[in-house]
Amino acid sequence: MISPASIIPLLVSLSSLLLSADEAEIIFAGDAMQHQSQLNAARTPGGGFDYSACFSALAPYIASADYAVVNLECPLGGSPYAGYPMFCAPDAYAEALRDAGFDLALTANNHMLDRRDRGLRRTVTVLDSIGLSHTGTYASPEDRASEVPFMADINGFRCAFLNYTYGTNGITPGPGVAIDYIDTLRMRADIHAARAAGAEIVTACVHWGVEYRLLPEPSQRRLASTLRAMGADIVMGGHPHVIQPMELTPGPDGRQGLTVYSLGNFISGMRTADTRGGAIASVTLRRDSLGRAYVADAAYRLVFTLTPVSPGENFRLIPAEQPAPDPLRNDQRREFVRRADEVFSRHNISVPRDSLPIPGIVRRRALRRALQL
């Protein structure tokens, strides 16, 4: 029998959903790395790679979002595969990200030329072949001209996604490929082109900052302010491999927007306290009384990577609030959460931690979709 106490919050949730049925939720995950330890753990006896266990605990959360974005920080260059410092991941890795529910892979990062131009082109070809959208790098300048801005219709919201990197580890691309490097003149032109193409919400995803620093550099803050002034609604950062603060604030034009300086690692083989996990940012889009789209809310949840401790075990992502299966990894999880919470509680602006269990979030999203039908 359902108690009155349980009915009240359910009715509140239903009424809030009814009042905001015209909305969309986008989630952003951090750096999807592929270190040698991850390659070793995923290798099968037959010589292939199996990543099915890596994302199973998070897949319901990812797949139930209206749109999901991840930074693919390794080229799909074909065999031989390798981890740091010159990454090259199997195609099965990208397929596992797609199967987990990701819709868009960001490819403008410092490792995308680790297998030179051929690796970049092959990455684009593989992503196209498996049906995983991508932006940031292009097989030719002509492809860039036709593919930027990348546009997505998300529950009726016209959204543009742009992607830029500070560099490619000193490797210069050849004339036949295109990479979106940080260039404010290009960024301004791309944002204007996105608006001209009908974008209601513009997201600039930027690979920037200094690795392992928990607070953003002045250069990150300056560029974020510049992008917001240019008209970006969301500035989403990566590269430091650790979390950095999030800010939901009004921009120069009065429109509320979100800046995330770094989401940290989504999954990796890194083993320091701050690199064992990261954050997933969720952004809610709504319309005002005139039908104009805006960034309504943002929240985050922490994820933690369980490293294998026995033969045959793979790397696994878990919600950071979920206990690890053994004392050592549970201590590591608690330390990651403690340090991340310390940064976010002191430096975040209007971006809280989403503490609702994942099954509840999945049900809430399903109910909202049903109300929109």
Side-chain angles (χ1 to χ4, degrees), residues 133-151:
S133 298
H134 54 89
T135 192
T137 59
Y138 315 91
S140 70
E142 293 76 19
D143 284 352
R144 187 199 188 275
S146 65
E147 295 172 13
V148 176
F150 176 84
M151 302 287 292

Side-chain angles (χ1 to χ4, degrees), residues 40-42 306-316 325-326 329:
N40 295 342
L306 293 173
T307 55
V309 294
S310 60
E313 187 180 359
N314 207 336
F315 284 75
R316 290 190 294 123
D326 57 88
R329 290 185 291 184

